[in-house]
Amino acid sequence: MFHLLEKTIQEAFHAQILAQFGIDLDVATEQPRQSSLGELAVPAAFQLARQLKQAPKKIAAELVDGIGPIDGVAAMEVAGNGYINVRFDREAYAEGLLRPVPRSDSSVNERIIIEHTNINPNKAAHIGHLRNAVLGDTFVRMLRAAGNRVEVQNYIDNTGVQVADVVVGFHFIERKTPDDVRRLIDDPAVRFDYLCWDLYARTSADYSASPDASGWRAETLHAVESGSGTLAELAHLVADAIVTLHLKTMLRLGVEYDLLPRESEILHLKFWAAAFELLKERRAIFLETEGKNKGCWVMPPEAFAGDSGTEDSKVIVRSNGTVTYVGKDIAYQLWKFGLLGKDFYYRPMMRYPDGHELWVTTDEPQPANGPVPTFGRGTRVFNVIDVRQSYLQDVVVAGLKALGAVEQAARSIHFSYEMVALSPRCCIELGIELSAEDRQRPYVEVSGRKGLGVKADDLIDRLVDKALEEVAVRHEDQPAAEQRRIASEIAIGALRYFLLKFTRNSVIAFDFQEALSFEGETGPYVQYAAVRARNILRKLEERGETLPSFATELSGEALRGAVESEDFWQMLLAASKADVALDRAIVSGEPAHLARFAFQLAQSFNNFYHQYHILTEENRERRTFLLWMTEFFRTQLMRTLGILGIQTPEYM
RNA sequence: GCGCCCGUAGCUCAGUCCGGAUAGAGCGUUUGCCUCCGGAGCAAAAGGCCGUAAGUUCGAAUCUUACCGGGCGCACCA
């Protein structure tokens, strides 16, 4: 509604400026400094002032005189040095919200692919992984809410060094057989991902101590690549078990995927070989004959050095003939755009409780068992990867460009974000020893290799426990299982909001006290507002009344009377901006902006809630209006929370 | 050395892409608010040379340059 009117106003000014001054100006609108000045401000006169060599104030006055009436606008006035402040026709606006005219969504032909999570399947997920998954998942929800078709991929590097290191730990250090490991995986008393977390840290430490270790790793990697033998079997066991556990952890947060593309298939289906041929053909890479990279296939720095600041070539194929991670990533990126000329085979992996099916890649044709969705062939690709990999993402994009896929290169978006580090206080709390130097720092980097970090499930458990305490105090009459379900919704709301409230390029110095807070700018605050709104409506029903049909019971006259009140008008206006907030958050690529809107919306409702007593209102018409506001707030709050992946509990 | 990011209230952060009216939140501090739809709430106060300096502009937290602090990249690791 707000959006439409804003557009109407912009178009009206655009046409008027063109007619009056012959200038084709892209008309911007902004929020007036104070709400009392109107709903929108048009600063166009300032932009025109230079070209016309006239005072902005004069231009603004001429524009207002010339433009004539605009549908939905009640008044326009010149203010300050030349602002044009626009006042909406409040009644018409409220009418539009009360009795919305259905409009058909423009069909979108884009196929957006978002890759996120991508955790190495060799240990438990940690807080940094959660930031990735929550950012990715929320952006997916945002795009889908705006009507886009989105495919979610979670890439599984099941043949890499990190898995190999855990295999080394099991095989060479702990002397465990595949059967031993299988027993550990099946033992309900063992948290296999936690066990691997510790084993991985120990193995990593051993590498620096033991002279045999690097040989072990090479042997394991080789075995994993060939796909046969005890070491390969161990790698499969570990990776598959950990992937299953990661999916479970992510599901606690409401994060689901469409497809798990796996590195093993990229290898077995020779994706790299196909990409290698393409890169050689187009001379995007060449065989280095001298210097330190002699014998390697490299990409010259000119291809990607634009802003990555390096003067060195990037090795794509090592002198021993094996491909680097970037090489594989170029192949994968080509496949995402349908440019590789090859495809995976697919099989359904599991069905989520909500019925959604998760698929995984395989390296051989599957027996026909119902339709297989189309994967890949994207028109736009977002890779949710932390900012430290910018350089490598630049190389991947350069690869596409060098292959002539300029369009696709431009549509390859590195959806980057800063790391989650630990605050010094948090380290102390976790019993982590800090060097004197580290104690001085604002934060300490998480390191899987050192086993330094906050495990995702531990954090979620702590949040649930804390929420449960609160729920138990307030609702001791509810069954325990019920309390736990509510607590879990609150905990997830707190966690997702906490991870989303920071903009992407802000480093999060993780701190338990902040993350565990349920007050102020937090998820539970927003949830609480939605719950309060619902409580009112429930209370109404408990009194034997039903929710009025607002569209028929609220007359235009009643509406006009209500929105004449500045208070009501501002609240209604604020609540009607959910779509605008969503659009802006998508354009800026900042889920944080939508999170902030949710918070402001909740503030606005709490304000309304506190100020007006809805159920005790004696004036019937006014009460109906108040109920409508409540219902409107509730809908907008729940919808926005839903896009953030946060549920609204039944009670709090 | 080169490149990227950050520096805004005691603390944690929005606002910077696209310059505009009196720079905003939350936490913390201080003070009020339960006869009232549940206080995980509401109201209010105190708290800022927006890192520094120059430049562009009618106008700069926002654009340019230099400098000062801090972080991260620049592997035949991923």
Side-chain angles (χ1 to χ4, degrees):
Chain A
M1 185 69 202
F2 187 88
H3 222 44
L4 278 175
L5 190 48
E6 185 179 30
K7 217 170 138 198
T8 307
I9 291 163
Q10 286 172 346
E11 279 166 5
F13 272 94
H14 177 262
Q16 180 62 19
I17 290 165
L18 197 59
Q20 204 166 334
F21 303 112
I23 294 171
D24 183 12
L25 185 74
D26 190 14
V27 178
T29 46
E30 53 190 63
Q31 209 69 221
R33 189 89 217 106
Q34 292 169 359
S35 54
S36 61
L37 296 174
E39 284 69 50
L40 276 178
V42 183
F46 295 106
Q47 293 160 276
L48 292 169
R50 188 161 315 165
Q51 290 187 62
L52 298 172
K53 302 224 186 297
Q54 290 174 27
K57 211 165 177 170
K58 181 166 170 266
I59 298 169
E62 285 175 23
L63 276 174
V64 168
D65 283 344
I67 199 161
I70 301 172
D71 209 22
V73 172
M76 282 179 280
E77 60 224 30
V78 180
N81 287 328
Y83 275 99
I84 299 168
N85 289 333
V86 180
R87 292 180 193 278
F88 290 0
D89 177 341
R90 295 181 179 187
E91 186 191 347
Y93 191 84
E95 277 285 346
L97 295 176
L98 179 61
R99 291 175 263 268
V101 184
R103 58 187 173 112
S104 56
D105 273 331
S106 53
S107 65
V108 190
N109 287 320
E110 273 212 281
R111 274 185 67 89
I112 300 175
I113 292 176
I114 297 191
E115 176 199 343
H116 70 75
T117 306
N118 303 6
I119 313 174
N120 274 301
N122 75 326
K123 59 177 179 307
H126 60 62
I127 175 81
H129 300 127
L130 289 183
R131 185 176 196 185
N132 182 306
V134 168
L135 266 176
D137 181 65
T138 304
F139 200 57
V140 168
R141 290 166 187 266
M142 286 163 58
L143 289 169
R144 284 181 176 157
N148 293 284
R149 185 162 42 154
V150 184
E151 174 180 325
V152 188
Q153 300 180 0
N154 173 8
Y155 181 77
I156 308 294
D157 182 2
N158 57 348
T159 60
V161 179
Q162 293 215 20
V163 170
D165 283 350
V166 170
V167 171
V168 165
F170 276 128
H171 183 79
F172 293 100
I173 297 174
E174 304 220 314
R175 302 276 162 197
K176 286 201 161 52
T177 65
D179 276 337
D180 293 336
V181 173
R182 218 170 264 125
R183 268 191 293 276
L184 287 172
I185 292 169
D186 292 338
D187 185 346
V190 173
R191 289 238 28 183
F192 188 68
D193 51 348
Y194 282 27
L195 184 144
C196 288
W197 173 286
D198 294 334
L199 181 58
Y200 179 55
R202 256 184 293 141
T203 309
S204 296
D206 268 24
Y207 280 132
S208 39
S210 161
D212 298 330
S214 61
W216 294 341
R217 181 191 270 173
E219 186 184 342
T220 305
L221 277 172
H222 188 76
V224 168
E225 198 155 331
S226 78
S228 59
T230 304
L231 290 168
E233 189 182 354
L234 280 170
H236 265 293
L237 279 172
V238 169
D240 289 354
I242 301 278
V243 165
T244 304
L245 290 167
H246 285 167
L247 291 173
K248 218 166 157 183
T249 302
M250 293 307 163
L251 191 57
R252 294 181 80 181
L253 291 154
V255 178
E256 298 183 356
Y257 311 92
D258 298 318
L259 176 69
L260 306 184
R262 297 189 301 185
E263 177 141 290
S264 49
E265 275 78 50
I266 296 217
L267 284 174
H268 297 158
L269 294 169
K270 311 249 182 299
F271 272 31
W272 166 244
F276 193 23
E277 284 313 308
L278 288 171
L279 289 164
K280 280 194 286 193
E281 257 171 50
R282 301 294 296 244
R283 303 195 189 284
I285 60 176
F286 68 91
L287 186 60
E288 185 66 80
T289 54
E290 55 192 21
K292 60 172 180 172
N293 292 335
K294 186 174 176 185
C296 299
W297 286 86
V298 302
M299 188 180 289
E302 308 87 79
F304 56 88
D307 37 33
S308 36
T310 178
E311 281 141 36
D312 286 338
S313 299
K314 179 65 198 172
V315 172
I316 305 296
V317 180
R318 303 181 186 104
S319 54
N320 68 5
T322 57
V323 59
T324 61
Y325 158 78
V326 195
K328 281 181 275 193
D329 223 26
I330 291 173
Y332 177 33
Q333 190 76 358
L334 285 168
W335 169 80
K336 284 181 187 161
F337 281 113
L339 293 171
L340 189 66
K342 273 178 168 284
D343 199 357
F344 297 104
Y345 300 104
Y346 306 93
R347 69 176 166 80
M349 183 176 172
M350 62 172 275
R351 193 178 281 281
Y352 287 107
D354 66 2
H356 180 71
E357 192 144 44
L358 170 66
W359 292 71
V360 63
T361 56
T362 69
D363 54 11
E364 48 194 26
Q366 298 295 302
N369 223 341
V372 178
T374 304
F375 293 110
R377 299 180 202 182
T379 56
R380 203 146 51 113
V381 172
F382 290 88
N383 296 327
V384 183
I385 304 177
D386 89 72
V387 70
R388 288 171 292 186
Q389 298 201 39
S390 295
Y391 160 70
L392 295 170
Q393 284 290 301
D394 287 345
V395 174
V396 170
V397 171
L400 292 194
K401 240 186 254 169
L403 291 173
V406 180
E407 186 77 1
Q408 287 83 352
R411 290 169 168 274
S412 298
I413 297 146
H414 178 196
F415 199 82
S416 69
Y417 62 94
E418 265 291 356
M419 62 179 167
V420 181
L422 306 178
S423 70
R425 182 170 64 180
C426 178
C427 290
I428 292 163
E429 211 180 323
L430 289 168
I432 295 166
E433 293 278 337
L434 289 184
S435 63
E437 195 189 348
D438 276 345
R439 255 192 296 266
Q440 295 306 310
R441 290 162 175 264
Y443 47 78
V444 180
E445 197 171 340
V446 168
S447 166
R449 205 165 275 284
K450 293 183 195 153
L452 183 60
V454 177
K455 293 186 198 80
D457 281 310
D458 283 349
L459 176 59
I460 299 171
D461 290 343
R462 273 183 74 164
L463 280 159
V464 172
D465 287 347
K466 188 176 173 214
L468 192 55
E469 281 174 32
E470 303 275 344
V471 173
V473 171
R474 290 154 215 245
H475 306 281
E476 48 183 357
D477 49 324
Q478 297 288 340
E482 181 83 351
Q483 285 183 17
R484 193 156 193 89
R485 192 170 54 78
I486 301 284
S488 166
E489 287 174 0
I490 294 167
I492 299 307
L495 181 54
R496 287 191 66 124
Y497 195 95
F498 174 76
L499 292 168
L500 289 171
K501 74 195 263 194
F502 301 92
T503 49
R504 281 164 28 210
N505 63 6
S506 161
V507 177
I508 299 180
F510 182 81
D511 188 282
F512 279 109
Q513 196 176 309
E514 275 182 58
L516 289 168
S517 167
F518 297 158
E519 287 164 19
E521 194 190 343
T522 65
Y525 175 92
V526 185
Q527 289 175 311
Y528 189 57
V531 167
R532 280 176 140 180
R534 177 139 78 196
N535 279 348
I536 292 173
L537 305 172
R538 183 163 48 210
K539 211 85 184 176
L540 186 78
E541 281 166 19
E542 279 170 15
R543 294 180 184 188
E545 295 182 56
T546 52
L547 202 61
S549 159
F550 300 114
T552 53
E553 287 195 26
L554 264 180
S555 67
E557 197 183 338
L559 217 48
R560 182 169 59 242
V563 296
E564 266 170 19
S565 145
E566 198 59 30
D567 251 16
F568 288 148
W569 169 241
Q570 290 304 335
M571 287 179 200
L572 192 61
L573 186 68
S576 73
K577 287 185 181 174
D579 288 323
V580 182
L582 175 62
D583 276 4
R584 291 197 179 145
I586 288 173
V587 168
S588 60
E590 284 291 3
H593 293 169
L594 191 64
R596 183 161 284 264
F597 170 78
F599 173 65
Q600 286 165 347
L601 190 59
Q603 269 186 324
S604 182
F605 176 75
N606 274 333
N607 202 294
F608 167 74
Y609 175 88
H610 185 257
Q611 213 171 334
Y612 300 96
H613 288 256
I614 294 144
L615 295 181
T616 53
E617 174 59 51
E618 285 178 4
N619 180 313
R620 192 184 154 73
E621 204 160 55
R622 187 176 161 93
R623 194 172 89 134
T624 305
F625 176 79
L626 292 176
L627 282 169
W628 176 57
M629 285 277 284
T630 306
E631 175 60 10
F632 190 66
F633 264 117
R634 191 185 69 88
T635 320
Q636 297 302 314
L637 277 166
M638 281 186 69
R639 174 159 175 265
T640 307
L641 279 172
I643 298 173
L644 296 174
I646 298 174
Q647 289 180 283
T648 304
E650 274 171 50
Y651 55 83
M652 277 180 81

